[in-house]
Amino acid sequence: MTDQELAALAVSSMERAYCPYSRFPVGAALECASGAVYTGCNVESAAYGSTICAERTALVKAVSEGERSFVRLAVAGQSEDCCWPCGACRQMLYEFAPQLRVLAVRRDGSYEEAALDGLLPHGFGAAHLGK
């Protein structure tokens, strides 16, 4: 799968977002080392702290299906700016893939790329717990 195809999956995942409060749909597509791709969208709650981001939705779906190794993530928002993962998402993704390639997609499908460990320098992971 090309970067553009993964970005397009993230863009199409925005259509399923439930975001009545922010009105900012976000879609994500997470590629596993196995080649499988899991998509996600943001799901908001009136109890704001219970809201889950698109990236974590995709990650939880993948992990719940037995995946543990990830290589690429595309995150798309409905903005002219790139849609980068928030801090909570960066931390959850770091747990599994500090070297993950992140494609931050604009609404027109163009994107910028960065490594997750560059987005979360000095990240905290299992190694810090002696695991």
Side-chain angles (χ1 to χ4, degrees):
M1 175 172 291
T2 68
D3 287 350
Q4 291 78 16
E5 290 169 330
L6 194 68
L9 278 175
V11 169
S12 68
S13 294
M14 284 192 297
E15 296 171 10
R16 294 185 293 277
Y18 177 74
C19 52
Y21 308 108
S22 72
R23 293 182 173 72
F24 189 79
V26 178
L30 179 63
E31 182 182 22
C32 307
S34 68
V37 175
Y38 291 84
T39 59
C41 61
N42 53 324
V43 180
E44 295 180 349
S45 170
Y48 297 144
S50 299
T51 293
I52 186 167
C53 299
E55 304 92 303
R56 285 181 284 147
T57 299
L59 177 65
V60 169
K61 285 170 63 176
V63 170
S64 72
E65 295 298 322
E67 299 285 356
R68 298 291 189 273
S69 183
F70 308 102
V71 294
R72 250 184 332 173
L73 170 74
V75 184
Q78 199 144 58
S79 172
E80 293 180 18
D81 295 324
C82 288
C83 189
W84 295 101
C86 73
C89 289
R90 292 176 192 197
Q91 180 60 50
M92 284 286 293
L93 292 161
Y94 190 92
E95 179 77 16
F96 297 92
Q99 301 297 320
L100 185 73
R101 287 182 51 225
V102 178
L103 308 177
V105 186
R106 298 175 187 89
R107 73 171 162 218
D108 68 2
S110 65
Y111 60 88
E112 292 181 23
E113 180 181 337
L116 180 61
D117 59 1
L119 296 175
L120 186 65
H122 311 289
F124 182 81
H128 295 94
L129 299 173
K131 303 287 177 186

